[in-house]
Amino acid sequence: MSPALRHLGKDLIVTTLFVTGLASYALADETTLKPDQFANASALYATHCTACHNGDRLGGMGPALLPESLERLRGNSIADVIAHGRPATQMPAFDQTLNTADIAVLADWLRQPLAEMPGWSMADIQQSHEVFVEPATLPDKPQFDGDPLNLFTVVEAGDHHVTILNGDTFEPLDRFPTRFALHGGAKYSPDGRFVYLASRDGWVQMYDLYSLQTVAEIRVGLNTRNVAVSDDGRYVMAGNMLPHNLVLLDARDLTPIRNIPVISKDGKSSRVSAVYTAPPRHSFIIALKDLPEVWEISYADDPRPVYPGFVHNYEANMVEALDVQYGPFPIRRIHLADELDDFFFDQEYRHLIGAARNGRDGQVVNLNVGRKIADIALEGMPHLGSGITFEYQGHQVLATPHLKDPKISVIDMETWKTIKIIDTQGPGFFARSHDNTPYAWVDVFFGPHKDVVHIFDKRTLEIVKTLRPEPGKVAAHVEFDRSGKHALLSIWDDDGAVIVYDAATFEEIKRIPMRKPVGKYNVFNKITYSAGTSH
């Protein structure tokens, strides 16, 4: 067993890496609890939770317990976890220790925000950094038989593990523990050798797919949205919801390089909604949740200057302008009329398509000129981050499911007009395809028909098959292998599976048991930025 696995698998899975002296914060909103309930919950937390989660709720031997990090646990989920624990973790069950009323009040207490936004400084980030295997000692070739570019990284949320799946044989090569609530989107180095994983409570993990071991990890924040890898393989950038910042890391071993606060010109800070890399532009593109701006940060060695203010003269050696940014990692701000929650890019990364927060429409932003050039009809909150592009009747089109409406919108990417609405049995979350198949697969993630998946023909824009692989259980997130001959689908259940289908006949080939496999990511499709998968 590697040092990293021993580190992650020992009695207390998440090692305490917090700087001493972090202040304890009062709860910001006690109005939802009566004074006696509040006092009781505080005492219960101090007695039963502080040892693992820290008195400030920022995490320690267990994950952070903040509204931002618990947002996926809806309804009675927090109470259920307190009562019954979490399988394959060190979270015990308290149903024999606490009564139902105590569990309910403690769950309500944990949903309360802190009165003051906690910080996570560069010193904190640096102290959390740990290298388990020196990169210089890693092998030059894969230590297994098979195509290293046809591997899948499968994120299993049921017990916080990742499985590395051989895409040739569909046999697991490794399964290792991860941090709490890993974000589904695995990101790869450009050569496909390393995979970078980010957890909701701020940990970034680097794993070597040749030797099948964790190389390094670091905590970049308290609530992290996702990470992106530069197209030259030198940098990893993490975007945080808490604190409001971006953290730039050295992709070789996750050494921190720069902490970038996300603040507007007038001093308002913003959560980061997502970070993307734009390979043709050699830059990171950042979506902001609380500001009507899009940021572009170049990672080129000699980036062009950014002119955020008034410019009188651009001429070389005679520039007359205000607030010119020279040097590495300049921030280019693209101002918009509305915040954009979700992004999609054309294959050339010339245009950004964003879903507006108003839930009624979307915007097309030309990244070259830095402004909106079109509106598109995208009501019902489309999940653009999981849209796909393909050619239809000589035109490049975008197909995206909607999070609120039972439909798929197909949009011409020249005119930005909707050319087809494909009706489905419910709102969907993911669309996937491949260059080597004429079909696209779209799940029905919400509602009574969440157990079905539609397959439509990209040539006719008609649904040709509807599958129900496991009645009553969510079927979601299709990903193709490198060749496009096989489609892998998840059963999103703690007693779930990854199902391998023949992409031409839609026949099931194999079923691999998994613990809620929320996402699986093929190395080749990701590093080639396939039009059929998310970027």
Side-chain angles (χ1 to χ4, degrees):
M1 180 180 289
S2 72
L5 292 186
R6 289 197 298 271
H7 172 79
L8 284 170
K10 57 190 179 181
D11 288 345
L12 297 173
I13 288 180
V14 185
T15 303
T16 303
L17 292 172
F18 287 90
V19 179
T20 58
L22 280 174
S24 294
Y25 298 99
L27 293 173
D29 182 8
E30 301 175 19
T31 59
T32 58
L33 296 174
K34 296 177 181 178
D36 59 331
Q37 292 176 317
F38 178 80
N40 182 38
S42 300
L44 290 170
Y45 182 87
T47 300
H48 301 287
C49 311
T50 297
C52 290
H53 300 280
N54 251 341
D56 48 29
R57 294 165 56 194
L58 300 184
M61 296 176 285
L65 297 179
L66 303 173
E68 295 86 353
S69 56
L70 298 173
E71 62 184 357
R72 289 193 169 187
L73 298 178
R74 308 194 179 198
N76 295 322
S77 297
I78 296 178
D80 289 341
V81 171
I82 296 171
H84 306 298
R86 274 192 176 274
T89 75
Q90 297 302 311
M91 176 64 190
F94 284 94
D95 57 348
Q96 300 301 311
T97 306
L98 303 175
N99 61 41
T100 302
D102 285 343
I103 291 173
V105 76
L106 182 56
D108 287 342
W109 189 85
L110 290 174
R111 292 191 185 279
Q112 308 304 305
L114 301 178
E116 181 180 343
M117 180 184 293
W120 192 248
S121 69
M122 193 62 160
D124 299 326
I125 295 170
Q126 291 168 337
Q127 184 167 341
S128 73
H129 182 221
E130 190 162 358
V131 177
F132 306 114
V133 183
E134 288 297 330
T137 67
L138 293 171
D140 295 330
K141 297 180 180 179
Q143 305 298 291
F144 56 87
D145 294 328
D147 180 359
L149 297 185
N150 197 29
L151 300 181
F152 290 84
T153 298
V154 186
V155 176
E156 296 182 67
D159 60 356
H160 310 292
H161 277 69
V162 159
T163 290
I164 304 300
L165 191 67
N166 187 326
D168 298 332
T169 64
F170 302 113
E171 294 292 336
L173 294 173
D174 189 25
R175 189 174 192 267
F176 59 93
T178 68
R179 297 291 179 169
F180 174 77
L182 200 69
H183 183 271
K187 300 298 172 63
Y188 298 102
S189 57
D191 60 0
R193 163 146 199 182
F194 300 106
V195 60
Y196 301 90
L197 305 161
S199 73
R200 291 297 185 188
D201 60 348
W203 289 95
V204 177
Q205 188 173 353
M206 176 184 178
Y207 182 88
D208 178 32
L209 291 170
Y210 280 16
S211 60
L212 302 175
Q213 60 183 328
T214 299
V215 176
E217 71 171 359
I218 191 169
R219 193 177 194 186
V220 296
L222 302 175
N223 185 251
T224 297
R225 190 69 180 120
N226 74 323
V227 295
V229 183
S230 62
D231 73 282
D232 56 15
R234 294 188 297 169
Y235 304 110
V236 174
M237 180 169 277
N240 286 326
M241 302 274 277
L242 186 67
H244 298 175
N245 68 339
L246 299 158
V247 179
L248 187 71
L249 307 170
D250 188 324
R252 292 173 296 185
D253 64 359
L254 302 183
T255 296
I257 297 173
R258 184 169 295 198
N259 186 349
I260 305 171
V262 179
I263 302 175
S264 68
K265 285 295 187 180
D266 60 4
K268 181 181 179 182
S269 68
S270 174
R271 296 166 291 173
V272 176
S273 182
V275 181
Y276 307 84
T277 189
R281 309 178 67 84
H282 307 300
S283 64
F284 293 114
I285 308 294
I286 296 96
L288 305 181
K289 209 164 187 68
D290 307 306
L291 295 175
E293 297 180 6
V294 171
W295 284 15
E296 180 173 19
I297 300 179
S298 173
Y299 47 74
D301 283 331
D302 187 22
R304 298 175 60 184
V306 170
Y307 302 94
F310 174 79
V311 180
H312 182 259
N313 187 358
Y314 287 100
E315 195 171 346
N317 301 317
M318 298 180 63
V319 172
E320 298 177 26
L322 298 176
D323 302 325
V324 183
Q325 293 184 52
Y326 296 102
F329 312 112
I331 300 172
R332 179 189 179 213
R333 302 167 186 265
I334 299 174
H335 297 278
L336 305 170
D338 192 12
E339 295 93 345
L340 298 181
D341 249 356
D342 207 358
F343 282 6
F344 186 88
F345 299 91
D346 59 13
Q347 289 298 106
E348 295 78 25
Y349 283 82
R350 183 183 304 119
H351 295 103
L352 173 157
I353 303 94
R357 291 281 292 277
N358 60 28
R360 295 189 303 273
D361 51 35
Q363 301 180 39
V364 181
V365 178
N366 186 302
L367 291 172
N368 291 341
V369 300
R371 63 179 176 83
K372 184 182 80 170
I373 61 167
D375 291 305
I376 44 179
L378 284 175
E379 71 282 355
M381 288 301 292
H383 189 214
L384 287 170
S386 287
I388 58 173
T389 62
F390 54 91
E391 188 172 298
Y392 173 71
Q393 296 185 354
H395 293 261
Q396 197 72 11
V397 298
L398 157 68
T400 180
H402 290 247
L403 298 177
K404 294 183 178 180
D405 295 334
K407 65 184 183 182
I408 303 162
S409 291
V410 183
I411 296 166
D412 188 311
M413 297 182 73
E414 294 177 13
T415 65
W416 304 110
K417 302 296 184 184
T418 302
I419 60 174
K420 175 85 178 208
I421 295 292
I422 303 174
D423 294 322
T424 64
Q425 293 187 30
F429 207 82
F430 299 102
R432 289 293 187 268
S433 188
H434 192 281
D435 290 341
N436 295 335
T437 176
Y439 304 109
W441 300 50
V442 183
D443 54 50
V444 176
F445 198 85
F446 307 98
H449 303 292
K450 62 187 179 182
D451 54 356
V452 307
V453 173
H454 296 302
I455 303 171
F456 71 86
D457 193 319
K458 295 186 291 187
R459 299 161 296 189
T460 64
L461 304 184
E462 298 290 338
I463 292 175
V464 295
K465 185 77 172 181
T466 296
L467 301 173
R468 181 174 272 107
E470 186 73 26
K473 294 184 178 181
V474 174
H477 194 274
V478 169
E479 181 84 333
F480 287 79
D481 64 2
R482 177 177 180 172
S483 67
K485 294 180 179 179
H486 299 99
L488 281 66
L489 178 145
S490 289
I491 301 300
W492 278 39
D493 190 83
D494 198 49
D495 184 21
V498 167
I499 305 176
V500 182
Y501 287 93
D502 184 307
T505 66
F506 315 139
E507 296 296 322
E508 180 177 331
I509 294 175
K510 187 172 185 176
R511 188 169 292 220
I512 310 163
M514 296 272 184
R515 298 291 297 276
K516 197 176 184 181
V518 295
K520 58 219 138 327
Y521 307 92
N522 180 266
V523 174
F524 181 81
N525 293 341
K526 282 291 189 181
I527 67 174
T528 58
Y529 299 92
S530 165
T533 190
S534 62
H535 296 181

